[in-house]
């Protein structure tokens, strides 16, 4: 009997140890998963880029100091001096997000012989005009903005908010006729003169 009781006590202690180990392992796994989740970078969710039909550039002639404003439709080419500028895309971000205006541009230089040479192909950023600039001794071109979003101005833009319709005017109530002006005061009639006092005849014996 003593041996049986000893085995039961040992089995009970062994069962308690196993359950404790399982709990410890479970907590360890949860702690490891939490650490991994915290270590992962949080990637913000961005709205889709807004594609535009026109890219706007500023072009500088370094000899004369003249700056020209260029509005170039996508996939069309505009010449500035010896440069030919062709934007391929022009993207912006919604108003509620951080500004990020970028255009993929191709710039060719026209030589004196008429030959064209590609001097720039890549992205230009309006917020960082010096990040990817056109390298030319005489002319310089950089992106300033985009215009005419494809499909219209996005709903997030304040410019697209339609003015609220005014409620229909209530039926006009009939305007009461103006009150007639008060009648002019009648001039006061002059009081009739007091009646003349009748003279009583003088008695003859009083006459002399």
């Amino acid at each position: 009997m003593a041996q049986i009781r000893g085995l039961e006590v040992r089995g009970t202690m062994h069962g308690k140890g196993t359950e404790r180990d399982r709990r410890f392992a479970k907590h360890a796994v949860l702690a490891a998963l939490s650490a991994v989740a915290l270590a992962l970078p949080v990637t913000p969710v961005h709205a889709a880029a807004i594609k535009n039909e026109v890219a706007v550039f500023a072009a500088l002639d370094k000899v004369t100091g003249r700056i020209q404003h260029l509005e170039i439709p996508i996939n069309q080419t505009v010449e500035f001096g010896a440069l030919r500028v062709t934007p391929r895309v022009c993207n912006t971000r919604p108003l509620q997000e951080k500004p990020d205006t970028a255009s993929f541009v191709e710039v060719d230089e026209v030589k004196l012989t008429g030959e064209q040479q590609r001097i720039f192909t890549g992205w230009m950023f309006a917020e960082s005009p010096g990040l990817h600039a056109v390298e030319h001794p005489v002319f310089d071109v950089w992106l300033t903005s985009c215009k005419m979003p494809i499909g219209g101005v996005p709903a997030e833009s304040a410019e697209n908010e339609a003015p609220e319709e005014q409620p229909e005017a209530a039926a006009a109530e009939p305007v009461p006729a103006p009150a007639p002006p008060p009648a002019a005061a009648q001039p006061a009639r002059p009081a009739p003169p007091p009646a003349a006092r009748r003279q009583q005849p003088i008695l003859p014996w009083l006459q002399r």
Side-chain angles (χ1 to χ4, degrees):
M1 293 293 294
Q3 292 181 355
I4 294 175
R5 290 179 181 177
L7 291 175
E8 290 178 355
V9 171
R10 291 179 182 177
T12 303
M13 294 180 62
H14 180 70
K16 291 183 178 180
T18 303
E19 184 178 358
R20 185 180 304 170
D21 293 341
R22 290 177 181 175
R23 291 180 180 178
F24 179 78
K26 182 178 180 180
H27 288 300
V29 171
L30 292 177
L33 292 176
S34 301
V36 171
L38 293 175
L40 292 176
V42 179
T43 304
V45 179
H46 296 286
I50 301 172
K51 298 183 180 298
N52 299 267
E53 298 181 359
V54 177
V56 183
F57 299 88
L60 169 66
D61 187 335
K62 299 177 183 179
V63 176
T64 62
R66 180 174 61 96
I67 298 179
Q68 186 172 344
H69 180 77
L70 305 178
E71 294 188 4
I72 309 176
I74 300 301
N75 295 326
Q76 296 189 21
T77 302
V78 170
E79 295 185 2
F80 177 74
L83 302 184
R84 295 171 56 89
V85 184
T86 306
R88 296 303 180 185
V89 294
C90 196
N91 298 335
T92 55
R93 289 288 179 182
L95 294 181
Q96 69 271 17
E97 294 192 7
K98 183 179 179 180
D100 185 12
T101 305
S103 177
F104 190 83
V105 189
E106 298 174 354
V107 181
D108 297 328
E109 179 186 9
V110 181
K111 302 291 186 180
L112 296 177
T113 58
E115 180 184 359
Q116 294 187 15
Q117 179 182 357
R118 180 66 50 84
I119 61 174
F120 180 84
T121 301
W123 289 93
M124 291 185 180
F125 302 94
E127 290 74 22
S128 302
L131 185 59
H132 299 288
V134 176
E135 297 182 359
H136 191 273
V138 179
F139 304 103
D140 194 4
V141 176
W142 63 94
L143 178 70
T144 58
S145 64
C146 300
K147 294 179 61 176
M148 299 178 60
I150 297 175
V153 180
E156 295 81 4
S157 174
E159 299 176 357
N160 195 39
E161 295 181 358
E164 297 181 358
E165 296 182 358
Q166 298 294 334
E168 297 182 359
E173 298 180 358
V175 180
Q186 297 292 337
R189 295 181 179 181
R197 297 179 61 183
R198 296 178 60 185
Q199 294 182 354
Q200 295 182 357
I202 301 176
L203 295 177
W205 59 83
L206 294 178
Q207 296 179 357
R208 287 184 180 180

